[in-house]
Amino acid sequence: MDTKESFFIDNSYDAVVIGAGHAGCEAALALSGNGYRTLLLTLNLESVAFLACNPSIGGTAKGHLVREIDAIGGMQGITADKTLLSLRMLNRGGGAAVHSLRGQVDKNAYHSLMKKTVENADNLFLKQGEAIAVLSENGKAAGVRTALGVEYRAKAVVVATGVYLNSKVLIGDWQEERGPSGFLSAKRLSGSLKDLGFSIRRFKTGTPARIDKRSIDLSKFEVQRGEADIYPFSFMSDSVNYDAVPCYLGYTNQRTHEVILKNIKRSAMYSGNITGTGARYCPSIEDKIVRFADKDRHQLFLEPEGADTNEIYVQGVSTSLPVDVQQQLLQSISGLENVRIMRDAYAIEYDCIDSRALDRSLMSKDIEGLFFAGQINGTSGYEEAAAQGLMAGINAALLLRGEPPYVLRRDEAYIGVLIDDLVTKGTNEPYRMMTGRAEYRLTLRQDNADLRLTAGAARCGLVSNARRERFDRKYGDYMRAKAQLNTVYPPAALQTLFAECGEALPKTGLTLASVIKRGNITARDAARFLGCFQGLLSDALLALETELKYEGYLKRQALQIEKARKMEQTSIPDGFDYSKLKGLRIEARQKLSAIRPSSVGQAARISGVNPADIAVLLLSL
């Protein structure tokens, strides 16, 4: 235990959550929702659930995470639905597996609503303060010490510090130790984590300039409007309801690229001032110009920060170039010739840990009761953070209750893929969720997140009676619709439907299932022309329709899942001594000893462990 004196010891809490960003809020609400007195510490009350970068929720694969968070009882989806400015479904050109919701939200409204949710939650206490040390006793978490010398004693601690941990903002040659948007930096906690044995890494992210809407010639941009006939993020929201505020599409040009290349050495990234590793899938504009020199233009989007402000976020033009160059490059873009910058773009470096130090509950392997969630685990994005925060909070509550952790497998949820990747493979750069990371993505769709997760999540304490009633209604309607699929319709009954949908009329009768499997016919079309599915929920019909259209692929995937599940069910005893396994390569022995996988399936996913090593391990077990 850290033995420095404190001014005051507070024993009134069961758990402490450090950081009130997207991970911290979900973790604290999960703990307090399970009846545990929880302290939520934040550097600044104005930064609760702050959208430090893009004021949007969802996106490719991220939309899946939000729907899964909601299905388990988290708050991100509900909050997004209530603060929407615009909502779209991405990847409509692809199959159902890659369809992803992305919503533009009101930055201030989102923060205010989540802060209100946290402030009014039973058993949850929000407090401004800087945590400088995590306390431990006899290999167990014991609480947190603040900069003011207060010790908050607790048996569970969740560290969710986001990009604030030892953060530094860089613009050209200028740099300052602070957090995003002028907030404070948490400067002393990294040392405590290092003393506890955690490996500290340095990552980097960035954000574009915010510009004054009045200085933009919007007629030179392509309007991007939201959609109305679309389902919301939360299964608890009845429908999408927002006053649409459009976004706008534009492009950089050769002149923009010349400005950047001429001043490339003045960028904090290219001058050597930045030491942290940046996100591969969210590069700065200068990085795009250098890496993709053959491209004569790059997309950018003008996205509103809120309904009550003129600030516009310039998506796609993240940079750490000095302010004079930022002005030049933006003014080179058609429609931004007279642009006025309200907030300068910047890069930000911050500390994070090697996530392989955690087990699949997101708890430290060496310190019981100490959990980590969000960007401190090496991820990027609000959605990845919220998913981890929810799971860390749930598992901290289950630990306090003396129950086994709630761990989602890779075949159960994108959340399972995210956490398994982090604790098994680790990451050497900011990790971003993508549909390509999920090998069973056709099974793990947005539309069926509640059918996959809500019933099983009931033991986690966050599935309210209202949510359970909604789930039961949808599942019941899904089963009632399924019971009608063997109904046979003669060609005469199908004539109008097939003509309307552009399908060739069959010569013989078809079952309802065969009708819906036709490429141009939806379950809604069948209900409208055939009189089936009356009174049943549209989202239940959507889930059933998708399963019918992809039936063959889903059956094949189910066999793959069953095969993989057998490997997952072959557990490895805690404390297994890999050094005694003859025939195991040195690299595999070192990797297995360090990561300590809980199953053979997890062991097989560790980088540096090959099939021959797994064969040796299986033989031993």
Side-chain angles (χ1 to χ4, degrees), residues 92-233:
R92 283 193 182 276
V98 295
H99 290 173
S100 298
L101 285 170
R102 183 183 187 274
Q104 203 69 24
V105 299
D106 188 305
K107 185 173 192 169
N108 292 328
Y110 188 96
H111 151 74
S112 296
L113 181 56
M114 188 65 86
K115 184 170 182 279
K116 183 178 180 180
T117 300
V118 167
E119 287 179 339
N120 290 284
D122 292 338
N123 307 306
L124 181 51
F125 306 89
L126 177 64
K127 185 172 179 63
Q128 184 166 297
E130 180 184 355
I132 63 170
V134 172
L135 308 177
S136 66
E137 293 176 348
N138 302 317
K140 296 183 179 181
V144 169
R145 178 181 295 111
T146 71
L148 296 180
V150 182
E151 280 191 11
Y152 294 102
R153 292 297 189 141
K155 293 183 178 179
V157 174
V158 180
V159 182
T161 50
V163 298
Y164 293 84
L165 191 59
N166 198 26
S167 56
K168 180 194 294 183
V169 170
L170 302 101
I171 304 174
D173 290 332
W174 178 88
Q175 53 186 276
E176 185 172 87
E177 293 182 352
R178 69 181 191 188
S181 293
F183 287 119
L184 294 173
S185 170
K187 299 178 182 178
R188 297 163 65 183
L189 186 60
S190 292
S192 172
L193 297 177
K194 191 173 182 180
D195 290 343
L196 290 172
F198 293 97
S199 173
I200 303 298
R201 296 180 169 186
R202 195 76 171 156
F203 279 3
K204 166 257 174 188
T205 187
T207 189
R210 273 67 161 180
I211 60 178
D212 191 334
K213 183 178 180 179
R214 296 171 300 173
S215 67
I216 305 169
D217 183 354
L218 294 174
S219 67
K220 295 182 178 179
F221 293 86
E222 181 183 330
V223 179
Q224 302 278 296
R225 301 193 185 278
E227 301 175 49
D229 187 17
I230 191 173
Y231 55 75
F233 282 114

Side-chain angles (χ1 to χ4, degrees), residues 292-309:
F292 307 106
D294 58 319
K295 284 201 168 189
D296 56 7
R297 68 177 189 172
H298 292 276
Q299 280 188 339
L300 63 94
F301 294 89
L302 302 182
E303 300 174 331
E305 291 261 301
D308 62 348
T309 178

Side-chain angles (χ1 to χ4, degrees), residues 6-14 16 37 39 127 142-144 149-154:
S6 298
F7 298 113
F8 175 65
I9 295 178
D10 188 339
N11 291 305
S12 59
Y13 299 104
D14 300 304
V16 179
R37 288 177 61 85
L39 175 67
K127 185 172 179 63
V144 169
V150 182
E151 280 191 11
Y152 294 102
R153 292 297 189 141

Side-chain angles (χ1 to χ4, degrees), residues 395-435:
N395 285 319
L398 292 172
L399 179 74
L400 291 172
R401 200 186 299 164
E403 294 184 13
Y406 178 58
V407 175
L408 292 169
R409 300 186 308 270
R410 297 182 71 90
D411 61 272
E412 289 182 301
Y414 269 74
I415 295 175
V417 175
L418 165 67
I419 293 176
D420 183 66
D421 278 352
L422 290 174
V423 304
T424 303
K425 302 174 183 177
T427 181
N428 292 319
E429 60 188 43
Y431 177 102
R432 178 177 180 171
M433 193 70 241
M434 296 180 291
T435 53

Side-chain angles (χ1 to χ4, degrees), residues 32-45:
S32 61
N34 274 280
Y36 293 104
R37 288 177 61 85
T38 304
L39 175 67
L40 178 57
L41 277 175
T42 177
L43 289 170
N44 192 319
L45 292 179

Side-chain angles (χ1 to χ4, degrees), residues 31 63 119 141 162 209 255 315 331 360 389 422 437 496 569 577 581 586 605 621:
L31 277 156
E119 287 179 339
R255 186 171 157 227
Q315 165 79 338
Q331 288 181 337
R360 290 199 285 177
L422 290 174
R437 296 190 190 274
T496 304
Q569 290 171 346
D577 189 354
L581 279 189
I586 293 175
R605 292 189 294 274
L621 291 172

